[in-house]
Amino acid sequence: LQLFPAKAAANVTSATTIRLTLDGTQTVVANKKIRLFAEGTATPLVTLLAGDAVANNNVYTFTLPTKLPQGKLIRVEIEEGAFIDNFENPTPAFTGNDWTFTVGTGPLETNRLPSHTAINVADNTNIEITFDRAITTVAGNKIRVMDGELTLFEADVATLPVVGGNKLVFDPPQNLPYLKTIRVLLDEGAIKDDVDNIFSGLHSNEY
């Protein structure tokens, strides 16, 4: 028996599939349930039926209807007898911590320039956001520089340079206005990591 994601796997993509590689071709017991739980919760995030599997010889793959929450330990439970081999032996149940894995957090900020609530900032400053890992920008998402509710400047993040693999840099096309409190907004999903987990974005008065 092989499991994907593997037992105790870390930094799993939130868009993962669930896959079992069994010992030989099995008979699927279609109404048996497969449930995924977040750590510490009794209500499943996802409930699948064994009959939902796409079979390729002895490999059974399940596509989840929604992404899993980032940064969470996920527990997979499978009812006993979801699959039956040629000798009428049912697969055992998966319960408790028999099969767990952790979904990655996505990129996390480590530094901002200017810093949050900084004062006396130069009017020609760049906006720089540094992350804890290599990042990729996702086209169609924007960074916005705001004066209150007024958008001063905005750009599609895919047009911006990523310095050193992990620093997003925005050079506003004009100087910032004097004596104003400037906000920076960044769309959720504008930044992702190597397993496609996303940064949650910058909203409201976070920066």
Side-chain angles (χ1 to χ4, degrees):
L1 172 65
Q2 295 180 2
L3 304 174
F4 177 86
K7 291 183 180 181
N11 198 34
V12 172
T13 177
S14 62
T16 188
T17 57
I18 300 298
R19 188 167 69 239
L20 297 90
T21 302
L22 302 176
D23 298 327
T25 303
Q26 309 271 323
T27 299
V28 177
V29 181
N31 64 346
K32 292 291 185 176
K33 292 179 180 178
I34 299 169
R35 301 181 179 94
L36 280 71
F37 298 82
E39 183 179 24
T41 63
T43 301
L45 296 167
V46 176
T47 299
L48 304 166
L49 298 176
D52 296 331
V54 175
N56 182 9
N57 295 319
N58 63 329
V59 179
Y60 299 85
T61 301
F62 297 86
T63 298
L64 306 185
T66 185
K67 289 185 176 182
L68 298 174
Q70 293 183 182
K72 296 292 187 179
L73 179 72
I74 303 298
R75 182 178 82 253
V76 183
E77 294 190 354
I78 303 177
E79 289 186 323
E80 181 180 5
F83 303 91
I84 297 176
D85 68 17
N86 292 333
F87 301 99
E88 301 297 322
N89 296 311
T91 52
F94 282 76
T95 60
N97 292 320
D98 288 344
W99 185 7
T100 64
F101 58 87
T102 302
V103 178
T105 60
L108 301 174
E109 291 178 78
T110 58
N111 193 49
R112 299 173 182 174
L113 183 67
S115 61
H116 184 45
T117 70
I119 59 174
N120 295 324
V121 174
D123 63 349
N124 63 346
T125 189
N126 286 346
I127 307 298
E128 300 181 1
I129 306 170
T130 303
F131 296 90
D132 65 342
R133 66 197 74 180
I135 61 168
T136 300
T137 54
V138 180
N141 293 282
K142 292 185 177 181
I143 187 170
R144 296 176 176 86
V145 178
M146 312 287 293
D147 175 9
E149 296 304 314
L150 174 66
T151 300
L152 299 173
F153 315 111
E154 67 178 25
D156 189 310
V157 294
T159 67
L160 303 182
V162 175
V163 177
N166 68 331
K167 181 191 295 184
L168 183 72
V169 179
F170 177 40
D171 181 6
Q174 299 177 17
N175 289 355
L176 300 174
Y178 291 109
L179 301 177
K180 296 287 187 178
T181 298
I182 303 299
R183 295 187 298 138
V184 178
L185 306 181
L186 182 62
D187 289 345
E188 180 177 2
I191 303 296
K192 65 180 182 179
D193 63 16
D194 63 338
V195 296
D196 289 340
N197 289 331
I198 63 170
F199 175 56
S200 59
L202 295 172
H203 313 281
S204 186
N205 293 315
E206 295 178 347
Y207 186 9

